[in-house]
Amino acid sequence: MKKLGLIPKLIIAIILGLLIGNFMPEGFIRVLATFNSLFGNFLGFIIPLIILGFVVCGIADLGGSAGKMLGFTTLLAYGSTLLSGFFAFFVSSNIFPKFITAAESFSASNPEKGLLPSLFIVDMPPIMPVMTALLLAFLLGLGISSLKKGRTLYNMALEFQEIVQKVIKVIIIPLIPLHILGIFANMTYTGEVQTIFSVFWKVFLIILAIQFCIILFQFLIAGAASKKNIFVLLKNQVAGYLTALGTQSSAATIPVNLDVAEKNGVSKGVREFVVPLCATIHLSGSTITLTCCSIAVMLLNGMNFTFPQFAGFIAMLGITMVAAPGVPGGAVMAALGVLQANLGFSEAQLALMIALYITQDSFGTACNVSGDNAIALIVDRFKFK
């Protein structure tokens, strides 16, 4: 098994998860659900530490260029999010009305079909929220990079980064395939997998097509900027895509995405700064999903919509979702206020949005993290010396 790469392990985990969910008894699935609960809680605990461990050193290593790189990366991430949202609007607003009418009905009384619970729960609260960790990392990294003398804080940050890297290498990476196996087994047993293909399957197929188009466009730009083979870049990204597909968390995919960036030839300082940062601020896939699903809901309910209305909605999404935690469904929870304020959604419509988004969350997250590495390649093209 040690000779197997991460991609084969992830594929095997998904297939085994589907088989186990179909043929194994509830007790066995709940054992896997218990592992998922423990591992998921540990991920929630370690994610702020991962951000601190990588971003602080990443900014500090960049020295005086950190401020410029931060601004440039943020601009690229927000621009990518806006582009994805507007592209999703134009595609869905022209195609969805052909097969969605207000006469069709969908029950919002039970928006989330629950997974089997774990046998027990061990609470592992993180030491700080994700946004707090990100802001603290900026403050420490920029402060360390501006110091002209003394290396005490930098050495502390470097040793802390080594601790985090060891946790990732020894614990997180080896257990990710088992975590994905448990997720797919639980989803299959409780009918979630069938729901993905039986409810709004046309909408989901169009969302996937839009996401793949955006990923291809992002890597076309990144490949042209970095003068690297786009097919090699896309092949390298498969590991990050599949990991995000299983974990449903951009932050939890950071370790794998960093490895992908290294294979792409992105310099150490850039990848350790851009990849963790973009896991929080770059949400192109989530914006595509929310834009398309909201148009589908509005069409189902006979609600009119306009481009200016959605332009404001998409622009607000790009900002609001930055506060979303790196957990499954975090983006739609952060977007509920924007859905209500900008699009006038009722409580039942918000519940329907949660159902639609969560059933497709894995693919949106996978699109997010793929774009992160495209941005890293572009940023690495400009050295900011």
Side-chain angles (χ1 to χ4, degrees):
M1 285 294 289
K2 289 184 178 180
K3 293 183 179 180
L4 281 178
L6 182 60
I7 296 175
K9 288 180 182 178
L10 294 175
I11 294 174
I12 292 171
I14 292 171
I15 294 172
L16 287 177
L18 295 173
L19 293 174
I20 289 171
N22 276 312
F23 299 109
M24 296 301 289
E26 178 180 328
F28 188 82
I29 307 298
R30 290 193 65 186
V31 171
L32 292 177
T34 303
F35 168 78
N36 283 347
S37 173
L38 293 172
F39 187 74
N41 287 341
F42 179 72
L43 278 180
F45 169 78
I46 200 67
I47 282 169
L49 303 182
I50 291 175
I51 291 173
L52 281 175
F54 285 114
V55 175
V56 172
C57 284
I59 295 176
D61 286 337
L62 294 171
S65 65
K68 294 180 182 178
M69 184 168 291
L70 173 60
F72 186 57
T73 303
T74 303
L75 182 64
L76 284 176
Y78 188 63
S80 174
T81 300
L82 290 180
L83 176 66
S84 301
F86 288 130
F87 181 58
F89 171 80
F90 285 116
V91 172
S92 57
S93 62
N94 282 284
I95 296 180
F96 286 3
K98 299 182 186 300
F99 62 88
I100 299 179
T101 66
E104 298 181 56
S105 62
F106 185 88
S107 175
S109 60
N110 184 26
E112 294 187 70
K113 191 173 185 179
L115 299 177
L116 287 178
S118 61
L119 297 172
F120 58 87
I121 296 174
V122 177
D123 196 21
M124 305 178 197
I127 194 171
M128 65 183 74
V130 170
M131 281 304 298
T132 302
L134 195 60
L135 291 173
L136 181 59
F138 288 158
L139 177 64
L140 290 175
L142 291 171
I144 292 171
S145 69
S146 67
L147 293 176
K148 303 297 182 183
K149 57 182 179 179
R151 304 287 291 174
T152 304
L153 282 178
Y154 177 77
N155 289 334
M156 288 177 61
L158 194 60
E159 290 183 5
F160 180 71
Q161 183 187 58
E162 291 175 358
I163 293 172
V164 172
Q165 287 175 329
K166 187 171 286 290
V167 171
I168 290 170
K169 183 178 180 180
V170 175
I171 300 176
I172 296 179
I173 293 293
L175 291 180
I176 278 179
L178 183 57
H179 182 52
I180 293 176
L181 184 151
I183 290 173
F184 273 85
N186 206 333
M187 289 175 62
T188 302
Y189 185 86
T190 57
E192 286 285 316
V193 170
Q194 289 84 344
T195 300
I196 291 176
F197 295 105
S198 63
V199 178
F200 286 81
W201 63 272
K202 293 180 182 179
V203 173
F204 291 154
L205 285 178
I206 292 172
I207 290 174
L208 286 175
I210 295 172
Q211 289 173 348
F212 287 137
C213 287
I214 286 295
I215 291 173
L216 181 60
F217 177 77
Q218 290 169 337
F219 276 96
L220 280 171
I221 300 297
S226 62
K227 296 181 173 59
K228 293 178 180 177
N229 190 317
I230 182 177
F231 297 106
V232 174
L233 298 176
L234 290 171
K235 179 183 176 182
N236 291 340
Q237 188 56 47
V238 172
Y241 188 93
L242 291 177
T243 301
L245 202 64
T247 63
Q248 296 181 295
S249 170
S250 296
T253 313
I254 289 174
V256 177
N257 238 18
L258 285 169
D259 182 61
V260 173
E262 185 176 3
K263 291 179 180 177
N264 289 341
V266 178
S267 59
K268 183 176 184 294
V270 171
R271 68 174 181 263
E272 291 183 356
F273 171 73
V274 173
V275 171
L277 173 61
C278 285
T280 304
I281 68 173
H282 180 236
L283 296 140
S284 58
S286 298
T287 302
I288 290 170
T289 304
L290 287 167
T291 301
C292 292
C293 287
S294 57
I295 289 177
V297 170
M298 295 180 81
L299 288 171
L300 280 170
N301 288 273
M303 301 168 65
N304 296 320
F305 57 86
T306 63
F307 173 71
Q309 181 185 22
F310 264 86
F313 171 71
I314 293 167
M316 284 299 296
L317 275 184
I319 299 171
T320 305
M321 288 191 301
V322 171
V327 296
V332 70
M333 298 304 172
L336 292 180
V338 184
L339 287 165
Q340 198 167 40
N342 288 58
L343 303 184
F345 275 29
S346 66
E347 292 299 323
Q349 290 161 348
L350 292 177
L352 178 55
M353 279 296 299
I354 294 172
L356 291 173
Y357 182 89
I358 288 180
T359 54
Q360 208 272 338
D361 187 27
S362 295
F363 297 98
T365 302
C367 181
N368 291 342
V369 303
S370 298
D372 295 350
N373 268 322
I375 291 174
L377 285 160
I378 296 172
V379 173
D380 194 47
R381 171 67 177 79
F382 301 89
K383 298 303 181 183
F384 294 97
K385 295 295 185 184

